[in-house]
Amino acid sequence: MKILIINNFNSENRLGGVEHYLYELIQYAEKNNSNLTFKWFGKEKIKTNWIEKFYHKKITAEIIQEIKAFKPDIIHCFSIGAPVTPQFMEYAKLKGIPIVYSFRDYYYICPKNYMLNDKNEVLLKHESALECILHHQPKRNILFDTLLHFKQSYHKSIIKKHIDYYLTPSENLTQFIAKHFQKEGQTLANPILIEPKRNSNSEENYILFVGRLVPEKGVLTLLKSFQNISKQFPNEQLWIVGEGNQLEELQNFTMYNNLKNVCFLGNKSREELQVIYTNSKFSVIPSEYLEAYGNVIIESLSFGKTIITSDLVGIKNEIEQNFVGLTYPFKNQKALEEKMIALLSNPSLKTELENNIPNYLVTKTFAKHFSDLVNVYENLISRNR
């Protein structure tokens, strides 16, 4: 079975969680002698003008040539929109090739992607273009936001017309996609991408954040909460792994407030992250936009480390129902501080959460994820014969 993966970026540009997942997916298939052959089409990170954002003629032609040469049984799309645009789907459908689309975020529900309005209320529905342009976060300017909405709506109409099946990583996102696209699909949870290679019982005096350093990730709220934590627990440190356009602002905040126990570590390799996760106390995921999932959550849990996360992550209900971590209302600095104090001052609570992790992770193995994905492919091919 031949699967053509189509994503904005290629395997050399592992810019985010999607690209890391695709790399691990292909590696897993190769190592386990799967009868699946994957080919990944993506581009370098390039600038595109607005015309190319709506329809990139050159890249569309490249994809069509790839389809002709590779002759895939399935096309599986991930994050596309720019530089890759979805017009290639029309050719694929003419050739009778089933198309699976993995929605990894809320972009095709709301082009702003945060799923928050300007009152910081979580969007429960999305119907009005004018409401989106004027009142949904983040806002840039009327012209940009209008063009963004038109681009998203145009691409959404193409995708809705041509895909055969969809996948999402969380039930919350599945409910939105089912309503907006009215296609068959299912929730397929993200698997564990970093497998522990050592015993994770060791622990040092640091709390961990891993992610992009951008405003929507909530790192500034975390730093403000840590101000009081460091006074009450002077030996505790906060390690921040990642880079982004908010780095300078965050560093300035720590210097201005004399937060000496905060360490900015930059980006780390998967091997380095294994060591960092292994020796952490717990992780904090203070997201301030609606995340479809939250890979860092699963990574931390896979090392036996509990987590504190805002209530905007896609698997909030799973965390609470399986009692593997603590949640708090997003942007609530005081509430986050209280949750960190609870874990630092109550060892029995922390141990109880950690003891619940193994049973929860049984459903998150890469082997199970891969098996479920193969079933999706096989069912689509059998229906298409």
Side-chain angles (χ1 to χ4, degrees):
M1 189 190 312
K2 295 194 290 187
I3 313 298
L4 178 60
I5 290 171
I6 299 180
N7 187 62
N8 276 329
F9 304 113
N10 60 25
S11 59
E12 305 303 317
N13 280 270
R14 296 204 289 278
L15 301 172
V18 173
E19 289 78 31
H20 283 294
Y21 162 77
L22 291 176
Y23 177 81
E24 296 295 337
L25 176 67
I26 293 170
Q27 291 292 306
Y28 184 90
E30 291 175 351
K31 289 177 183 176
N32 289 275
N33 298 314
S34 162
N35 67 342
L36 269 65
T37 301
F38 287 98
K39 190 163 190 179
W40 178 350
F41 180 94
K43 303 299 292 183
E44 299 291 323
K45 190 173 183 181
I46 57 176
K47 288 186 178 181
T48 53
N49 59 44
W50 272 107
I51 293 174
E52 292 171 329
K53 290 181 190 298
F54 276 81
Y55 172 37
H56 205 301
K57 185 176 180 179
K58 181 176 180 292
I59 292 177
T60 299
E62 290 178 13
I63 296 173
I64 291 172
Q65 288 302 313
E66 193 74 70
I67 294 171
K68 290 178 178 178
F70 185 55
K71 295 181 172 57
D73 299 295
I74 296 272
I75 291 176
H76 193 164
C77 302
F78 286 82
S79 294
I80 64 172
V84 174
T85 56
Q87 287 83 2
F88 65 86
M89 291 183 177
E90 183 176 355
Y91 176 82
K93 293 307 291 182
L94 285 174
K95 294 299 181 182
I97 304 170
I99 300 174
V100 180
Y101 199 108
S102 281
F103 294 94
R104 312 286 288 192
D105 56 31
Y106 290 86
Y107 171 76
Y108 281 111
I109 306 302
C110 174
K112 302 292 189 70
N113 209 13
Y114 281 24
M115 294 297 286
L116 297 173
N117 63 21
D118 49 16
K119 297 178 182 178
N120 276 326
E121 297 168 332
V122 179
L123 302 181
L124 301 178
K125 60 181 181 178
H126 193 285
E127 297 171 351
S128 168
L130 188 60
E131 181 75 14
C132 177
I133 291 165
L134 296 179
H135 298 296
H136 292 175
Q137 296 187 40
K139 292 187 284 188
R140 291 183 59 171
N141 59 65
I142 294 295
L143 177 60
F144 180 92
D145 291 347
T146 301
L147 287 170
L148 178 65
H149 192 279
F150 281 136
K151 168 184 172 289
Q152 184 254 31
S153 299
Y154 173 50
H155 287 177
K156 183 176 179 179
S157 67
I158 296 172
I159 294 168
K160 184 175 181 179
K161 181 179 179 180
H162 293 102
I163 66 172
D164 296 277
Y165 203 82
Y166 71 81
L167 299 170
T168 85
S170 67
E171 290 295 335
N172 190 59
L173 181 53
T174 294
Q175 291 173 14
F176 276 102
I177 297 298
K179 180 179 179 181
H180 280 251
F181 284 81
Q182 298 175 341
K183 295 280 187 173
E184 282 190 88
Q186 69 182 70
T187 303
L188 181 61
N190 289 354
I192 299 168
L193 294 183
I194 301 181
E195 293 286 352
K197 292 183 179 178
R198 64 185 72 194
N199 190 307
S200 297
N201 292 328
S202 60
E203 183 175 285
E204 297 180 13
N205 289 334
Y206 63 86
I207 300 164
L208 182 61
F209 169 87
V210 177
R212 291 179 296 120
L213 304 186
V214 290
E216 61 266 29
K217 289 295 186 178
V219 188
L220 187 57
T221 300
L222 172 57
L223 286 174
K224 291 176 179 177
S225 297
F226 189 72
Q227 278 185 284
N228 290 329
I229 296 293
S230 61
K231 294 173 186 176
Q232 189 171 343
F233 300 89
N235 293 326
E236 299 298 334
Q237 298 180 35
L238 175 63
W239 286 19
I240 297 175
V241 176
E243 293 180 355
N245 58 27
Q246 199 187 20
L247 175 59
E248 185 176 351
E249 178 188 356
L250 299 172
Q251 290 175 324
N252 289 340
F253 180 88
T254 60
M255 288 186 288
Y256 181 80
N257 292 282
N258 200 29
L259 289 174
K260 296 180 179 179
N261 286 359
V262 176
C263 303
F264 291 92
L265 304 179
N267 286 333
K268 294 295 178 182
S269 68
R270 307 304 264 179
E271 292 73 22
E272 291 170 318
L273 272 175
Q274 286 182 335
V275 177
I276 292 171
Y277 275 122
T278 296
N279 296 315
S280 64
K281 277 197 167 173
F282 55 86
S283 293
V284 180
I285 302 91
S287 300
E288 295 180 354
Y289 74 117
L290 194 60
E291 290 212 53
Y293 197 75
N295 286 330
V296 172
I297 294 170
I298 299 300
E299 289 178 358
S300 182
L301 294 176
S302 72
F303 285 84
K305 308 298 181 175
T306 189
I307 47 95
I308 299 172
T309 177
S310 83
D311 57 0
L312 289 186
V313 298
I315 56 172
K316 167 185 174 287
N317 291 340
E318 291 183 28
I319 293 166
E320 294 175 342
Q321 290 166 5
N322 292 277
F323 203 51
V324 293
L326 304 177
T327 64
Y328 71 95
F330 76 102
K331 287 192 174 182
N332 191 323
Q333 175 188 329
K334 184 65 177 176
L336 173 54
E337 182 183 324
E338 289 171 354
K339 298 297 183 182
M340 286 194 283
I341 290 172
L343 290 185
L344 291 170
S345 62
N346 189 343
S348 61
L349 170 62
K350 183 169 170 291
T351 299
E352 183 180 0
L353 294 170
E354 291 170 346
N355 288 341
N356 292 329
I357 292 172
N359 287 337
Y360 174 66
L361 290 182
V362 168
T363 61
K364 308 297 181 184
T365 65
F366 214 110
K368 183 180 186 306
H369 175 90
F370 189 80
S371 175
D372 291 342
L373 182 60
V374 171
N375 286 337
V376 170
Y377 293 157
E378 290 176 342
N379 289 338
L380 280 175
I381 289 175
S382 64
R383 281 164 38 182
N384 207 49
R385 285 173 181 161

